[in-house]
């Protein structure tokens, strides 16, 4: 009896065609994997989430940022021309910068991990390859597990994502930190 629901209709910045979870996306070697979406992170009045969609002939994640105090929506695509990119999982660091880890592949690149972001001033930090996969693996082995969380001791981010690892589905942990004086991505592969 003490829960109130408020709807805030918002408009997207441009047309968006979502990719269904199944059959999903076609990756390196012709395997078809699940295209997860709806991975979300809420911090300091902002709810971030993603959904895979069409970016011309490619697939890329559309990132959504809803200001939960005003209901204002901001959205943009993490396009990497020539690549299929999906399963973007966002996290927010101590400075209010959002970074997302995501799956990345194309016809000549095994399933890899990419990271991109948006700084707290609203400047896009383009997605770039953070960990290159090697080899192929059966589609049903792709775990499609991605997450990013803030470290409570220093406010940096820790991310985990799946990639191709010598015929298997590997998981890689990435440590992401931003420098206050730059909007460049500084990542450490631990």
């Amino acid at each position: 009896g003490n829960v109130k629901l408020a709807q805030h209709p918002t408009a997207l910045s441009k047309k968006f065609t979502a990719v269904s979870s199944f059959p999903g996306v076609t990756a390196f070697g012709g395997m078809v994997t699940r295209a997860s979406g709806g991975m979300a992170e809420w911090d300091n009045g902002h709810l971030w989430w993603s959904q895979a969609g069409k970016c011309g002939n490619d697939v890329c994640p559309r990132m959504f940022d809803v200001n939960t105090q005003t209901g204002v929506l901001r959205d943009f695509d993490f396009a990497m021309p020539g690549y299929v990119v999906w399963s973007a999982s966002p996290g927010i660091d101590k400075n209010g910068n959002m970074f997302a880890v995501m799956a990345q592949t194309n016809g000549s690149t095994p399933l890899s991990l990419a990271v991109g972001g948006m700084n707290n001033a609203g400047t896009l930090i383009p997605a770039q390859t953070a960990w290159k996969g090697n080899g192929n693996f059966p589609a049903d082995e792709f775990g499609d597990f991605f997450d990013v969380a803030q470290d409570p001791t220093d406010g940096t981010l820790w991310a985990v994502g799946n990639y191709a690892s010598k015929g298997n589905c590997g998981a890689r942990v990435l440590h992401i930190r931003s420098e206050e004086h730059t909007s460049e991505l500084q990542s450490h592969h631990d």
Side-chain angles (χ1 to χ4, degrees):
N2 63 352
V3 175
K4 293 182 181 180
L5 176 65
Q7 294 185 10
H8 300 277
T10 57
L12 299 177
S13 64
K14 60 184 175 181
K15 185 178 186 232
F16 178 68
T17 304
V19 172
S20 64
S21 295
F22 296 100
V25 298
T26 303
F28 176 79
M31 68 176 182
V32 178
T33 67
R34 185 171 77 90
S36 62
M39 294 170 279
E41 182 77 18
W42 182 85
D43 184 74
N44 200 27
H46 287 267
L47 177 64
W48 285 92
W49 84 94
S50 73
Q51 174 66 50
K54 290 289 189 177
C55 295
N57 293 327
D58 299 321
V59 171
C60 72
R62 171 75 55 99
M63 298 301 299
F64 301 93
D65 169 26
V66 176
N67 182 319
T68 57
Q69 296 169 350
T70 65
V72 173
L73 170 72
R74 171 173 60 167
D75 65 318
F76 62 92
D77 296 332
F78 268 134
M80 295 180 75
Y83 288 94
V84 173
V85 186
W86 73 104
S87 292
S89 182
I92 296 94
D93 70 10
K94 71 176 180 181
N95 299 316
N97 304 305
M98 184 282 298
F99 288 98
V101 65
M102 56 203 96
Q104 167 202 5
T105 190
N106 66 15
S108 60
T109 304
L111 188 59
S112 302
L113 294 174
V115 174
M118 179 169 281
N119 70 17
N120 60 14
T123 302
L124 180 68
I125 302 166
Q128 58 185 298
T129 303
W131 188 259
K132 189 165 167 79
N134 57 64
N136 200 357
F137 55 84
D140 60 353
E141 288 187 16
F142 181 59
D144 202 17
F145 297 120
F146 294 82
D147 197 13
V148 181
Q150 187 181 116
D151 188 319
T153 59
D154 64 7
T156 61
L157 298 174
W158 291 91
V160 64
N162 289 142
Y163 71 102
S165 177
K166 301 176 185 171
N168 295 301
C169 180
R172 190 74 182 170
V173 174
L174 303 171
H175 187 203
I176 304 167
R177 67 182 171 96
S178 61
E179 301 293 331
E180 289 186 55
H181 61 277
T182 180
S183 61
E184 297 283 321
L185 169 66
Q186 303 289 323
S187 68
H188 299 281
H189 310 291
D190 297 321

